[in-house]
Amino acid sequence: MITLCGFSVSNYYSKVKMVLLEKGIPFAEEAVKTGSKDDAVLSCSPLGKVPFIRTEHGAMCESQVIIDYLEVAYPNPPLVPADAWQAAKVRELITFIDLHLELVARELYPQAFFGGEKDEATAARVRKKLEKNIAGFKRLAKFSPYIAGDRFTMADCAAFVSIPLVALASKVACGEDLIAAAGIDWKPYSRLIGERPSAQRVVADRKAEQERAAAKAG
Ligand SMILES: N[C@@H](CCC(=O)N[C@@H](CS)C(=O)NCC(=O)O)C(=O)O
């Protein structure tokens, strides 16, 4: 049995969880926070990042590596096309979302989501990068109706959990949803993916965790 470690507010945790759910792979969840100094965690995720998985073979971190493993180990239903080129195009999109959108926008999260001080210089610097990268992403993304074309793929798992975050972080920190400002109408797409049971589960789990945290904070 696979154990998914991390927490439901994490977009990368949700990305892996959506893939597990889409494929109908049985899994358990284990709450693990980031920044652990615990050797038991660092031996699974050396930078203390989440998610990571525990399996009968050992542990593994990095969401994309994990879902690529799941795709090979549990090929049905497939979440990449059988054609090698088309499969690589799906992964190209994921790299754009994870590396060139989400990782760049992540610098805004302290001020956008975690009560950090407003930092105009960071917002302006990140905005410049995001504008360039979103224009690049727009050239690749299909939204027809799925992000890589006419079939649901693992790129939709990456997009569903990260695009709204990038949009909201830029809206709060830069005063504008930079994804929408680039002419990408992402909300209908998000609603389409949001109809899937896997998406509904990750959203419900994330909200429940946020509510528990708010209640605890008083
Ligand atoms: N490239 C990693 C990114 C994972 C990541 O950044 N996770 C965040 C939580 S959403 C985290 O662990 N942050 C703490 C840190 O970077 O130390 C992946 O795809 O799994």
Side-chain angles (χ1 to χ4, degrees), residues 83-162:
D83 177 79
W85 179 260
Q86 294 305 331
K89 292 298 285 181
V90 165
R91 293 187 170 101
E92 177 186 46
L93 254 178
I94 299 176
T95 300
F96 255 75
I97 294 163
D98 286 0
L99 197 61
H100 300 314
L101 301 186
E102 201 280 340
L103 195 58
V104 175
R106 189 160 275 263
E107 253 201 281
L108 301 173
Y109 296 176
Q111 55 180 309
F113 304 137
F114 303 131
E117 262 182 44
K118 187 113 189 86
D119 175 353
E120 302 284 357
T122 299
R125 183 170 44 77
V126 171
R127 180 187 188 118
K128 214 168 155 196
K129 270 198 212 169
L130 274 180
E131 281 174 346
K132 179 179 174 208
N133 293 0
I134 292 168
F137 169 69
K138 193 179 171 188
R139 288 179 181 274
L140 288 179
K142 300 269 194 298
F143 294 106
S144 61
Y146 299 107
I147 199 141
D150 61 3
R151 273 205 282 160
F152 180 87
T153 65
M154 56 165 66
D156 293 297
C157 300
F160 180 75
V161 299
S162 287

Side-chain angles (χ1 to χ4, degrees), residues 7 10-12 34 47-51 62-64 98 106:
F7 52 89
S10 157
N11 47 329
Y12 291 106
T34 56
L47 297 178
K49 290 180 191 278
V50 302
E62 287 296 331
S63 64
Q64 191 55 38
D98 286 0
R106 189 160 275 263

